[in-house]
Amino acid sequence: MTFQEIIFKLKTFWASKGCVSLEPYDFPVGAATFHPSTFLRALGPEPWRAVYAQPCRRPTDGRYGENPNRLQHYFQLQAVLKPSPDDIQDLYIQSLEYIGVQRKNNDIKFIDDNWESPSLGAAGVGWEVWLNGMEISQFTYFQQVGGFDCKPVTGELTYGLERIAMHLQSIDNLYEIQWNEDISYGEIYLQNEQENSKYNFELVEPKILIKLFDDMEKECVNLLENNLPIPAYDILLQNSHSLNLLDSKQAISSTERQAYILRLRKLSFLIAQKYLENREKINFPLMKHK
Amino acid sequence: MEKNNLLFEIGLEDLPARNLNIFSEKIKKNIEKNLSKNKITFDSINNFYTNIRLVFVVNNIPKKIILEKKLIKGPPLNICFDKKVPTKTGLGFAKKHNVDIKKLSTKEIDGNKYLFFEQPEITINTKDKLSEVLENSISNIEDQKEMRWGDSNTSFIRPIRWLLLLLGDENIHLKIMGIETQEYTFGNKSLPNKKIKINDVDDYFSKIKNEEVEISQNKRKEIIKNEIEAIIESNFYDKTIDLQLVDELANMTEYPYVFLGKFPEKFLDLPQEVLKYVIQDTQKYSLVFKKKKIINYFIGISNVKINKNIIQGNERVINPRLDDAQFFISKDLDSNIFQNKEFLKRVIFHKKLGSMFEKVQRITKISSYINNESYQDEKLLHKDIAELCKLDLISNMVVEIPKLQGYIGSYYALKSGINNIVAEGIKDHYAPRNPEDSIPKSIDAQIVSIADKLDTIVGMFLANEKPSGTRDPLGIRRSTNGLLKILLNTNQSINMTLLVNKVYDIISLNFNDLKKNKKGLDDCHIYFKEKLISLLIENYNFKDNVVLSVINNNKNINPYEILKKIEAINTILADDDYQKMFNNAKRVANILKKSDLAPTRVVNENLLRESSEKILYNKITEIEEELNSSLVDNNYIEYLKKLNSLSACTKIFFEDVMINDKDENIKLNRLSLLYLINSYYTNLANVANLAY
C-alpha cells in the first residue's frame, strides 16, 4: 500500500465515523495536536470530530537525510473525537485493519505513556501504540488544555505515517517508501531534509529569532487585548517553532529554554480563555450537533 | 443459609503494567473493608488481572444476611425526659436508631432506669448492598492518579469499558460509578470484538480460557519464565532472567507468547548500558547473555501467536534505535568531550548554585578535604575523577538519554586511553544509583561520590530546596540514602558533621546569599541525623533505643563509628550479665540527676570511707586506661567487656554505701565517684538507655 493510499484510507475510515475531513494547517507545527482543530476544539462543551494529515517540523530530529529513520519534517495523521466514544480503542484497531494490519496476526500493544505539553498547558493520559514492537501511534485522552479541564474529554489518535508505511511496505529505510507506485518518499523529501538540516543546525541566526520571538509575543498580546484569540494562536505557533529552531542551533541553555516555554504557556492560557469566552458569546454553535 | 461466589470483572482500556499488582490488591482490600462494614460475611477474595481486566471473586457470600434482634442500651432515663417531655439526649438516641421515641422501652439496671431500643430482626439482601460496596471499593483508591473520558464525570485509572457482575448464577444489574453492570465479557483484543455471555462464576473461568486469556497473573509469569528458560537452555545462554521485567511483561498481556529475535552483531560494540537501555528499558525485551556479556539476541513477548511477521517487525525496531546511538557515540568520540571542560559552564546545575563547571570545582575541593581527613590515599586519582566525572553531560549520547550519565563518560574515557580506575570512577561516582546498587568499588570513586552527593544535598538545603512530603524532584532523598550507604560501608571513619560544615564553607565562598542561610545548614545537619537513625532502624533492623543510645550520645555524627558501636552493643544486648550493668548505669544516672551538688571527675581518695567505695574506686582507676585505649582503637566490644567488670563492685557499692552522708564533702565525693563512672557509662553510648 502506498503512502498516499494510507492517508486516503485512514481519512476515509474516520470520515465514515463522522469526522470532518480537514486539510493540514498552514503554520509550522511540531505535532498535529497544534492544529487549531485539535487544540482549540478540545476546549469547551461543543462536540467535534475531525481527521486530517499534518506535516510536522521538529528541527532537532534532522539528520541531513542520512539516517533512514529520522526526519525533521514528517507526517502525522490525526483523528480527534470529542467526546471520546466508548469504542474508540476498537475503532482505532478497525482503522488499522482497514489499511491491512490485521489484529489476529499482529501484536498490537498499548503501552502506558502520558502526554504533556508544557508550552500548551496541556496534559493527557494515554498510550504509545506498538505494532510488533514499533511505536506507530499515540493515543491520548485530553485531560487539560490551555490550563482548562477538558469536559467532555477529547480522544486523540495520532498515526506516525512513515512508520506505518515502512511496516506495510516491509522496508527499513523511510526514503524508500513508495509515495505512489512510481515516486518514492526520498525523491520528494530528501533534498528538503538535507537543506533544512543544514539550516536548523548550522545557519539559524539566534539574534533574528530572539527578536522575532519578542516582537511576535507583543503582537500576540495586542491581538488578545483586541479579543482575537484565533490569530493570536497562529502567532503562538510561530513562536513555538522559533523556539524549536533556537533549540536545534543549541543557542539557548536549558534554563533559558524553560523561561521561553513559560512565556508560551502564559500566552496559551490566555488564548484558551479568550477562545472559550468568544465561543460562549455565540452560544457554542456546534452544540446543536450533539 | 445459601451461599454463593461473587464475580466482579472490570473491563478496561490498557492498564499501566507497572505496579498493577499493588493496584489490584488495593481494590481487594477495599472490597473486604466495605463488605465487613455492611456486615456481609465471606470466606476470602481472589483477585486476578490482565492488561485489560481486573477480576475479583468473593468466596462464599450469603444471599441474605439476617441480623438477629437485640436490645440496645441508651442513656439514663432521667436525662432523656424532663417532666415527661423528651430532651435532646432522648430524641438523639431515638433518631440514631431511626425510631419514634414513644416506641422505645425502659429497663432497670442496678436500680437505675435506662432508655432501651429493641432492634428487630433485620434481613439484608446482599444484592441490595452490592452497588454501594463495589462503588465505594473502586472509587476511593489511595494514591491513585485518575483520568476522565468521554462525556461523563466518572474517573478511574483508565477508561472502564464494561462491568460484569454475577452472584452465583444470577446476573446482577446495577449501576456502579454511573456504568451499568452486564452479563457479558469480552475476549482477547486480538480476536473479533464480540460479547460473551457468562452464566455463572465457573462458566466465566472456562469461557475466558477459550478467548486467548490466561486470567491468572501468576500463570502468565510462569509461562514467560519457563519459555525464556527453555530458550536459554537450548542455546546455552547464561541463566539470567530479570524477574521484575517478567512481572511487567506478564502485566502487558492477556496470553503471553514468547519469541527469540536477533539484531546485527555490529551493535555489540556499543556500551552494555546503551544496549540495556534500548533493548530492555525502552523495548521491554529480555536481554540475552553469554559469559556475562550481552549477545545479539533478545527475547520478546507477544499477545498474539507468533508468526514470521511479528518477529521481523520486532527485529526491525531495534536497529534504528541502536543506529542512532552509534551515530551519537561516533560524533562524541570525534569531538573528545574530555578536552572541553569549559563547556560545562553552559550546563546549569541549579539556578542558585551555578553551573556544572562550578559544581565540579567544588567537588574537587571537597574530595581533597575528604582524602586529607580520612582516606589519605597518595595516588590522588580522585582528583582526575572529580575533574572528568561530569563531562559526559555535554555529550550527544547523554543529552539524548540522560539516564546513561556516567556510563557513557566511563566508556569514552576507556576509549581515549584514560586510566582504568579513573574511567571506572566516572561511572561509579554516581553509585549507589538505587537501593539495590552497591557502593563505588575504588576508594577514589567513593571519595568523589561522597563529595558530589554532599555538594548537592548541602547546596539544596542552602537554596531552600529541601525535600518535603513524598516529593523529591531533585533527588535529595536518593542522594542522602546513597551517601549514607557509602559512609556506613566504606570502613573509613569520617566525621560527617565537620564535613558538612566544610562543604558549607566551600559553597559559601562563591554564594554570599547562601552563606547567610544558617537555618538551612542546621536543617541539613538534622536531616542527616534523622535519615541515619531511620536507616539504622529500618534497613539494619537495630532497636530504636540502641540506635538512639549511641547517636544521641555523640556530638559529631560519624556514621561508620556509630555503626560499629551499635554492632558491638548488639552482640551483648541479650546477655543478662550486661543487663545488670545497664541497670547500674540507669541507677547511677538517676542519682546524679537528682543531686543538687555539682560533682566532678575528681575523686578525693582520702574522703573514701567504706571499703566498698574504695574497691569501686580502685577498680575504675585500674581499668581507666584500658577503657580509653580500647575506645581509641575502636575496639568497642572490649570496652563494653571492661566496663562490665565494674558491675560487681558497683552492686556492692549500692548495697553498702549511703550516698547522702551528713558530711557534705563525703556526699560530694561519693557523687563524684559516680560521676566518674558515669562518664564511662556514657562514653561509647548512653548504656543506661539499654536497660529493659
Side-chain angles (χ1 to χ4, degrees):
Chain A
M1 188 174 301
T2 63
F3 195 77
Q4 65 189 29
E5 269 175 318
I6 296 171
I7 296 176
F8 297 155
K9 284 214 153 198
L10 287 175
K11 287 191 81 171
T12 308
F13 176 86
W14 287 109
S16 78
K17 304 296 170 194
C19 292
V20 290
S21 171
L22 295 173
E23 303 308 323
Y25 205 53
D26 59 347
F27 275 82
V29 293
T33 308
F34 286 77
H35 194 305
S37 266
T38 296
F39 178 79
L40 293 177
R41 298 286 178 187
L43 290 158
E46 297 168 277
W48 179 247
R49 285 189 177 200
V51 60
Y52 54 89
Q54 178 67 51
C56 305
R57 290 168 185 251
R58 288 194 187 167
T60 40
D61 281 352
R63 294 289 181 272
Y64 297 88
E66 285 162 14
N67 183 310
N69 291 284
R70 287 246 200 175
L71 293 161
Q72 55 82 44
H73 174 274
Y74 62 101
F75 293 87
Q76 289 184 340
L77 187 121
Q78 173 106 330
V80 283
L81 296 95
K82 177 192 178 189
S84 63
D86 285 350
D87 59 349
I88 186 166
Q89 200 189 52
D90 194 56
L91 286 177
Y92 169 77
I93 297 173
Q94 284 178 36
S95 76
L96 292 182
E97 298 198 308
Y98 195 69
I99 53 169
V101 178
Q102 302 305 321
R103 66 177 95 194
K104 66 174 189 294
N105 47 24
N106 284 285
D107 183 32
I108 302 167
K109 286 202 189 89
F110 293 77
I111 306 293
D112 178 37
D113 182 38
N114 298 337
W115 167 81
E116 200 175 352
S117 165
S119 53
L120 289 182
V125 175
W127 302 267
E128 286 178 356
V129 186
W130 286 10
L131 171 61
N132 302 332
M134 175 167 63
E135 184 193 349
I136 55 159
S137 296
Q138 280 280 341
F139 180 176
T140 308
Y141 286 94
F142 283 5
Q143 303 293 301
Q144 223 183 41
V145 166
F148 288 90
D149 279 344
C150 297
K151 181 133 195 8
V153 168
T154 297
E156 180 199 56
L157 296 158
T158 309
Y159 300 75
L161 290 169
E162 288 83 358
R163 294 206 181 165
I164 291 172
M166 285 165 80
H167 172 86
L168 291 175
Q169 299 180 7
S170 295
I171 49 168
D172 293 328
N173 185 337
L174 62 86
Y175 294 106
E176 289 166 13
I177 293 170
Q178 286 303 133
W179 192 281
N180 69 9
E181 277 79 7
D182 301 325
I183 293 192
S184 73
Y185 195 100
E187 285 177 278
I188 306 174
Y189 284 108
L190 179 60
Q191 191 184 351
N192 180 52
E193 282 303 309
Q194 292 163 339
E195 292 192 8
N196 271 308
S197 295
K198 182 117 180 127
Y199 170 56
N200 299 338
F201 292 131
E202 299 169 36
L203 295 169
V204 162
E205 179 45 74
K207 271 188 217 142
I208 295 177
L209 288 180
I210 287 169
K211 180 162 188 321
L212 185 67
F213 191 102
D214 293 344
D215 289 347
M216 282 303 195
E217 189 180 43
K218 280 182 210 130
E219 181 99 323
C220 188
V221 170
N222 182 40
L223 287 168
L224 284 166
E225 277 164 7
N226 282 283
N227 210 11
L228 297 170
I230 293 175
Y233 181 67
D234 289 347
I235 289 177
L236 178 83
L237 294 180
Q238 280 175 281
N239 267 2
S240 172
H241 183 57
S242 295
L243 177 58
N244 290 343
L245 286 172
L246 287 168
D247 217 13
S248 65
K249 182 74 199 316
Q250 297 189 326
I252 45 173
S253 73
S254 59
T255 24
E256 285 171 309
R257 188 168 174 272
Q258 202 53 39
Y260 277 111
I261 287 175
L262 283 177
R263 284 161 74 180
L264 290 175
R265 186 185 173 86
K266 226 169 157 183
L267 292 179
S268 70
F269 276 36
L270 290 171
I271 289 164
Q273 190 192 340
K274 283 274 184 240
Y275 177 80
L276 269 173
E277 283 168 17
N278 285 0
R279 294 301 287 181
E280 194 171 11
K281 267 182 224 155
I282 51 171
N283 296 320
F284 297 118
L286 291 179
M287 286 303 276
K288 67 169 179 283
H289 299 291
K290 207 178 167 178
Chain B
M1 176 134 10
E2 196 194 340
K3 286 185 177 177
N4 283 296
N5 292 345
L6 176 102
L7 174 86
F8 181 44
E9 181 192 49
I10 310 171
L12 303 127
E13 290 180 11
D14 299 63
L15 293 156
R18 265 168 196 242
N19 300 330
L20 196 47
N21 53 337
I22 296 171
F23 183 68
S24 168
E25 283 294 326
K26 278 186 193 168
I27 298 183
K28 179 182 157 180
K29 290 239 163 64
N30 280 353
I31 297 177
E32 284 170 357
K33 199 177 71 193
N34 283 302
L35 285 170
S36 303
K37 202 169 124 192
N38 282 282
K39 308 206 164 47
I40 303 171
T41 59
F42 60 94
D43 287 351
S44 59
I45 299 181
N46 301 104
N47 56 328
F48 306 93
Y49 50 84
T50 72
N51 57 325
I52 61 160
R53 57 189 97 221
L54 297 162
V55 180
F56 303 90
V57 178
V58 186
N59 296 304
N60 285 327
I61 180 168
K63 281 205 161 178
K64 280 194 173 90
I65 300 141
I66 297 166
L67 300 178
E68 282 176 24
K69 77 173 181 189
K70 62 177 176 184
L71 278 175
I72 298 168
K73 187 182 155 204
L77 198 61
N78 57 0
I79 64 163
C80 290
F81 292 95
D82 184 14
K83 294 168 193 157
K84 293 201 175 168
V85 180
T87 62
K88 257 192 185 167
T89 314
L91 290 170
F93 180 68
K95 195 177 170 203
K96 187 175 155 198
H97 295 286
N98 206 12
V99 56
D100 192 329
I101 192 159
K102 288 176 206 150
K103 300 243 168 91
L104 296 175
S105 53
T106 56
K107 272 200 169 53
E108 205 176 292
I109 301 170
D110 298 335
N112 296 317
K113 282 186 174 173
Y114 292 90
L115 202 58
F116 265 86
F117 171 56
E118 282 179 56
Q119 183 173 284
E121 183 181 285
I122 301 172
T123 306
I124 299 169
N125 270 326
T126 304
K127 228 164 73 172
D128 298 337
K129 291 282 176 189
L130 285 180
S131 173
E132 184 190 330
V133 165
L134 296 175
E135 178 154 322
N136 286 340
S137 301
I138 66 172
S139 58
N140 292 306
I141 300 168
E142 255 180 51
D143 298 326
Q144 183 55 57
K145 208 179 151 222
E146 295 182 335
M147 63 169 288
R148 293 174 299 109
W149 61 94
D151 205 2
S152 80
N153 286 319
T154 307
S155 63
F156 198 55
I157 180 170
R158 286 294 177 272
I160 297 176
R161 288 309 172 212
W162 76 86
L163 295 173
L164 166 68
L165 185 60
L166 286 165
L167 186 57
D169 58 3
E170 190 185 354
N171 284 300
I172 315 277
H173 290 275
L174 44 86
K175 268 194 174 180
I176 295 170
M177 301 210 300
I179 301 160
E180 278 178 44
T181 57
Q182 311 286 353
E183 65 258 27
Y184 53 80
T185 185
F186 292 86
N188 188 314
K189 253 187 299 194
S190 65
L191 301 171
N193 188 26
K194 67 167 202 289
K195 291 179 180 177
I196 298 151
K197 170 104 168 63
I198 302 297
N199 298 315
D200 58 46
V201 178
D202 292 339
D203 189 40
Y204 173 79
F205 287 99
S206 67
K207 277 192 178 147
I208 203 84
K209 264 208 165 69
N210 299 328
E211 297 293 327
E212 291 279 310
V213 178
E214 173 49 71
I215 193 76
S216 158
Q217 53 278 12
N218 292 330
K219 282 194 187 147
R220 287 197 309 280
K221 278 182 217 165
E222 277 294 309
I223 294 170
I224 296 172
K225 200 170 149 261
N226 291 343
E227 297 213 13
I228 293 180
E229 275 169 357
I231 291 174
I232 285 176
E233 259 172 51
S234 63
N235 291 290
F236 307 103
Y237 300 144
D238 290 357
K239 284 179 184 149
T240 38
I241 299 183
D242 185 330
L243 291 176
Q244 214 180 328
L245 179 70
V246 170
D247 266 18
E248 207 179 329
L249 292 171
N251 292 350
M252 282 161 64
T253 54
E254 292 232 87
Y255 195 95
Y257 293 94
V258 179
F259 64 90
L260 180 68
K262 201 179 171 184
F263 60 91
E265 235 179 316
K266 63 170 181 182
F267 291 123
L268 292 179
D269 286 342
L270 289 167
Q272 298 274 298
E273 284 304 321
V274 171
L275 291 171
K276 179 174 176 289
Y277 177 82
V278 170
I279 297 169
Q280 183 172 308
D281 298 357
T282 62
Q283 285 300 130
K284 308 287 176 203
Y285 301 129
S286 183
L287 293 161
V288 179
F289 296 86
K290 235 177 184 172
K291 291 180 186 155
K292 294 191 174 168
K293 286 218 146 189
I294 295 170
I295 59 167
N296 61 321
Y297 287 89
F298 63 91
I299 299 170
I301 309 295
S302 162
N303 195 36
V304 178
K305 270 202 190 78
I306 306 300
N307 58 47
K308 209 177 74 201
N309 203 16
I310 290 176
I311 298 179
Q312 276 177 356
N314 280 285
E315 287 179 341
R316 203 182 288 146
V317 187
I318 291 193
N319 295 353
R321 286 184 182 270
L322 294 176
D323 244 345
D324 233 23
Q326 214 162 41
F327 168 79
F328 289 130
I329 287 174
S330 60
K331 223 167 130 182
D332 287 337
L333 287 173
D334 281 350
S335 66
N336 189 358
I337 57 165
F338 298 113
Q339 282 175 352
N340 302 315
K341 293 184 180 129
E342 302 270 311
F343 277 16
L344 283 180
K345 286 181 179 168
R346 286 171 48 180
V347 183
I348 302 293
F349 167 53
H350 183 275
K351 58 181 187 291
K352 290 189 187 164
L353 292 157
S355 69
M356 289 308 281
F357 183 82
E358 291 167 271
K359 183 176 179 47
V360 166
Q361 290 183 318
R362 294 196 299 268
I363 295 175
T364 310
K365 284 187 198 164
I366 301 167
S367 298
S368 294
Y369 174 83
I370 297 171
N371 191 48
N372 289 340
E373 291 296 309
S374 309
Y375 289 85
Q376 297 179 340
D377 177 57
E378 284 166 13
K379 292 193 302 294
L380 302 181
L381 289 175
H382 63 87
K383 284 193 167 178
D384 294 337
I385 298 174
E387 270 180 34
L388 303 178
C389 69
K390 299 295 181 191
L391 280 165
D392 67 354
L393 295 178
I394 51 164
S395 71
N396 288 289
M397 194 69 239
V398 174
V399 169
E400 183 73 10
I401 306 168
K403 212 183 135 183
L404 295 179
Q405 61 185 10
Y407 298 111
I408 293 300
S410 174
Y411 178 82
Y412 293 164
L414 285 174
K415 290 263 171 191
S416 38
I418 288 169
N419 173 308
N420 271 359
I421 292 175
V422 176
E424 280 283 299
I426 292 172
K427 177 179 76 190
D428 273 0
H429 92 279
Y430 286 108
R433 293 182 185 231
N434 55 55
E436 289 79 39
D437 201 7
S438 43
I439 68 167
K441 280 190 286 293
S442 71
I443 54 168
D444 314 278
Q446 286 175 11
I447 293 170
V448 179
S449 181
I450 294 169
D452 181 26
K453 290 178 171 65
L454 267 177
D455 178 70
T456 299
I457 304 162
V458 178
M460 291 303 170
F461 268 87
L462 295 178
N464 288 325
E465 297 266 25
K466 60 181 176 183
S468 65
T470 51
R471 288 190 68 243
D472 187 24
L474 302 160
I476 296 167
R477 209 168 284 135
R478 192 165 14 94
S479 294
T480 307
N481 288 334
L483 173 74
L484 291 174
K485 189 168 181 173
I486 299 173
L487 293 174
L488 288 169
N489 291 287
T490 178
N491 287 326
Q492 286 286 330
S493 171
I494 296 173
N495 185 328
M496 199 159 94
T497 309
L498 296 182
L499 180 54
V500 167
N501 288 336
K502 182 74 190 173
V503 174
Y504 163 80
D505 290 342
I506 290 172
I507 295 173
S508 305
L509 277 180
N510 293 323
F511 300 98
N512 215 12
D513 279 6
L514 302 183
K515 187 176 184 173
K516 290 179 200 140
N517 191 1
K518 284 273 166 46
K519 167 111 187 1
L521 178 63
D522 291 345
D523 285 351
C524 186
H525 280 299
I526 294 167
Y527 182 73
F528 278 131
K529 187 171 167 182
E530 281 173 356
K531 275 279 162 187
L532 181 62
I533 291 172
S534 71
L535 192 76
L536 290 166
I537 292 171
E538 280 155 32
N539 294 22
Y540 283 76
N541 292 320
F542 292 127
K543 286 192 185 143
D544 299 25
N545 64 333
V546 177
V547 172
L548 294 176
S549 76
V550 175
I551 289 191
N552 285 338
N553 214 41
N554 283 267
K555 206 169 101 240
N556 289 334
I557 300 287
N558 186 324
Y560 175 76
E561 282 184 7
I562 285 170
L563 177 62
K564 292 296 149 197
K565 287 175 182 172
I566 292 174
E567 280 171 352
I569 291 172
N570 243 24
T571 60
I572 57 147
L573 206 55
D575 193 330
D576 276 345
D577 211 26
Y578 282 94
Q579 276 300 325
K580 284 175 201 147
M581 173 174 91
F582 303 153
N583 281 315
N584 285 339
K586 200 172 169 182
R587 200 162 164 189
V588 169
N590 282 338
I591 291 168
L592 288 171
K593 212 191 299 173
K594 278 184 212 145
S595 96
D596 43 10
L597 300 174
T600 62
R601 283 173 62 102
V602 184
V603 177
N604 183 345
E605 226 172 315
N606 298 327
L607 287 172
L608 295 171
R609 295 290 145 88
E610 309 282 340
S611 68
S612 48
E613 56 183 324
K614 286 178 187 160
I615 293 171
L616 181 60
Y617 178 69
N618 289 338
K619 183 75 189 171
I620 186 74
T621 40
E622 175 194 325
I623 63 171
E624 243 185 321
E625 201 172 310
E626 290 164 325
L627 281 172
N628 289 332
S629 66
S630 55
L631 208 56
V632 171
D633 298 342
N634 296 350
N635 194 346
Y636 303 126
I637 293 183
E638 187 58 31
Y639 180 92
L640 290 165
K641 250 190 211 162
K642 274 270 136 24
L643 198 59
N644 193 35
S645 68
L646 278 178
S647 290
C649 338
T650 317
K651 188 172 169 249
I652 297 168
F653 174 87
F654 280 132
E655 281 166 5
D656 291 358
V657 180
M658 282 287 292
I659 308 283
N660 288 329
D661 199 272
K662 276 173 277 176
D663 183 340
E664 281 275 303
N665 288 330
I666 292 176
K667 184 181 169 188
L668 179 63
N669 200 46
R670 282 176 182 160
L671 284 169
S672 291
L673 176 58
L674 291 184
Y675 188 86
L676 176 65
I677 290 170
N678 192 54
S679 71
Y680 290 98
Y681 279 146
T682 57
N683 207 348
L684 180 145
N686 190 351
V687 296
N689 290 348
L690 300 171
Y692 282 130

